[in-house]
Amino acid sequence: MIFTINDLKVLSILISGDKYGLEIVQEIGETGTTLLLGSLYNVLKKLESNGFVKSYWGDEVEERAGNRRKYYKITAKGQDVVEENQNAFGLMWGLS
Amino acid sequence: MTASGIPIDDDYVQDFQWYNDFYGYYGIHNDGGRWEPIWEFDGGGYVSEPIEGGSLGFMLNNAGNADEINGGFIYQEMHANDLQKLIQGYQSNFNSLAIGTNYLSQEEIEFPKITSKNLKKPNKIASLRFLIPKAYREEFIGDLIEMQVTLENEGHSKWWVFSLMVLQIANVIWHAAFFKLKELFPNSIKKD
């Protein structure tokens, strides 16, 4: 699989813990870039179908009008990708 | 006692309507003017298995105090979604339950009328859910509503928030359409 910058950004965010879609978008937004939800789901779907992340449903939340949050968890395979691409992450997040 | 004329709490109107439609009957408890679903409670524990022949959450408490029904039932507030889950979980048992027959027959109870006036006003964004592909629907609508609430609380103008929501919806539809096309014509679209 060829990773895009967005794939790697999402993986690097999930390293710090399980997160749901809006949470990931907000964290990416804090770095000064924008990712729309549709693009994010696209990325997550691709990562999930290739075994880099797993998803599970949380409980219903009142502020979401009773809809559940879908959380994403990075797998060991995904963690390997993050470790292999540490340099790229450093450049992406301005940490180099 | 008749049930007509008693105000129904908005939070429960939708689930009331749901199982009224589903079973052609209803069972909620009225406590001081507020309608609440009731269900069987396992003395200090959580929801228990339904007693054979009992009436899990579907009995109208005519006595006004759920403990007085028969000592085995007490009421508790329950969120509509939890109630629906519970009902779905026990759906197979309901066919054999004698609902409410210990107290009032269906003919003796005058049911409150549900009209469009007291149905909860739907969220505008949620009403667009039919546009969203099923695979993303619950996740996306939830994220969108949460985003809308956050942005409005931050003081952004309604028009700006609405425009952003429309953009998000268009983006999801575009990606879903792209995936579909890619499935249908795998050799024509090279983008990964």
Side-chain angles (χ1 to χ4, degrees):
Chain A
M1 178 178 153
I2 299 167
F3 291 97
T4 64
I5 288 180
N6 284 338
D7 297 338
L8 296 176
K9 277 184 179 176
V10 169
L11 284 175
S12 72
I13 284 171
L14 291 176
I15 277 284
S16 59
D18 301 359
K19 293 189 171 59
Y20 63 98
L22 186 59
E23 216 173 2
I24 298 171
V25 164
Q26 284 168 340
E27 286 206 20
I28 289 178
E30 284 167 13
T31 67
T33 51
T34 308
L35 187 64
L36 294 175
L37 286 169
S39 311
L40 175 72
Y41 299 146
N42 186 21
V43 167
L44 289 167
K45 190 175 174 183
K46 191 171 75 173
L47 291 173
E48 191 170 19
S49 62
N50 286 285
F52 297 107
V53 298
K54 275 184 178 175
S55 65
Y56 62 93
W57 288 101
D59 294 330
E60 286 100 353
V61 183
E62 203 175 327
E63 61 261 34
R64 294 166 70 92
N67 291 293
R68 294 172 298 173
R69 285 177 175 151
K70 192 174 188 182
Y71 286 92
Y72 292 89
K73 181 188 181 73
I74 193 164
T75 61
K77 195 177 165 187
Q79 285 175 352
D80 290 344
V81 173
V82 175
E83 281 169 22
E84 287 164 13
N85 291 278
Q86 283 297 343
N87 290 338
F89 289 124
L91 289 171
M92 276 192 303
W93 303 119
L95 301 173
S96 60
Chain B
M1 166 191 159
T2 61
S4 62
I6 299 172
I8 300 170
D9 189 292
D10 272 352
D11 290 347
Y12 294 111
V13 169
Q14 285 181 341
D15 76 75
F16 177 95
Q17 182 70 64
W18 182 85
Y19 60 75
N20 196 31
D21 288 343
F22 194 79
Y23 293 104
Y25 194 68
Y26 78 105
I28 48 177
H29 165 63
N30 181 265
D31 183 43
R34 179 185 170 94
W35 287 94
E36 295 167 326
I38 56 170
W39 82 101
E40 192 178 331
F41 197 79
D42 185 18
Y46 199 58
V47 177
S48 67
E49 291 296 317
I51 295 169
E52 199 176 337
S55 54
L56 182 76
F58 283 89
M59 196 174 286
L60 182 67
N61 182 354
N62 190 39
N65 179 344
D67 282 322
E68 290 175 22
I69 290 181
N70 69 6
F73 296 100
I74 65 170
Y75 81 93
Q76 186 102 2
E77 281 189 28
M78 193 172 195
H79 190 272
N81 292 317
D82 293 331
L83 181 70
Q84 287 189 15
K85 267 194 210 163
L86 183 68
I87 290 167
Q88 282 156 0
Y90 290 127
Q91 192 175 330
S92 59
N93 293 312
F94 286 150
N95 293 336
S96 61
L97 294 181
I99 296 170
T101 49
N102 291 343
Y103 304 97
L104 289 174
S105 69
Q106 196 164 352
E107 291 72 33
E108 291 174 86
I109 302 170
E110 191 180 332
F111 293 99
K113 299 278 184 288
I114 304 292
T115 65
S116 56
K117 264 188 181 176
N118 55 15
L119 279 174
K120 215 173 184 177
K121 209 175 179 182
N123 182 296
K124 276 183 190 169
I125 296 296
S127 67
L128 295 174
R129 63 171 58 232
F130 71 94
L131 288 173
I132 312 301
K134 267 188 183 172
Y136 301 118
R137 196 169 290 166
E138 182 172 1
E139 179 182 19
F140 177 62
I141 290 291
D143 280 342
L144 211 56
I145 290 171
E146 199 173 338
M147 182 186 278
Q148 183 191 15
V149 170
T150 307
L151 291 172
E152 283 180 358
N153 288 343
E154 285 174 1
H156 295 285
S157 76
K158 281 195 171 180
W159 276 107
W160 188 84
V161 173
F162 186 74
S163 305
L164 188 63
M165 298 295 110
V166 170
L167 180 66
Q168 298 278 9
I169 291 172
N171 184 252
V172 162
I173 293 171
W174 155 248
H175 278 289
F178 184 81
F179 258 108
K180 196 72 192 168
L181 285 171
K182 201 174 161 190
E183 275 174 28
L184 293 173
F185 308 104
N187 298 322
S188 305
I189 301 173
K190 297 288 183 195
K191 188 180 169 188
D192 187 15

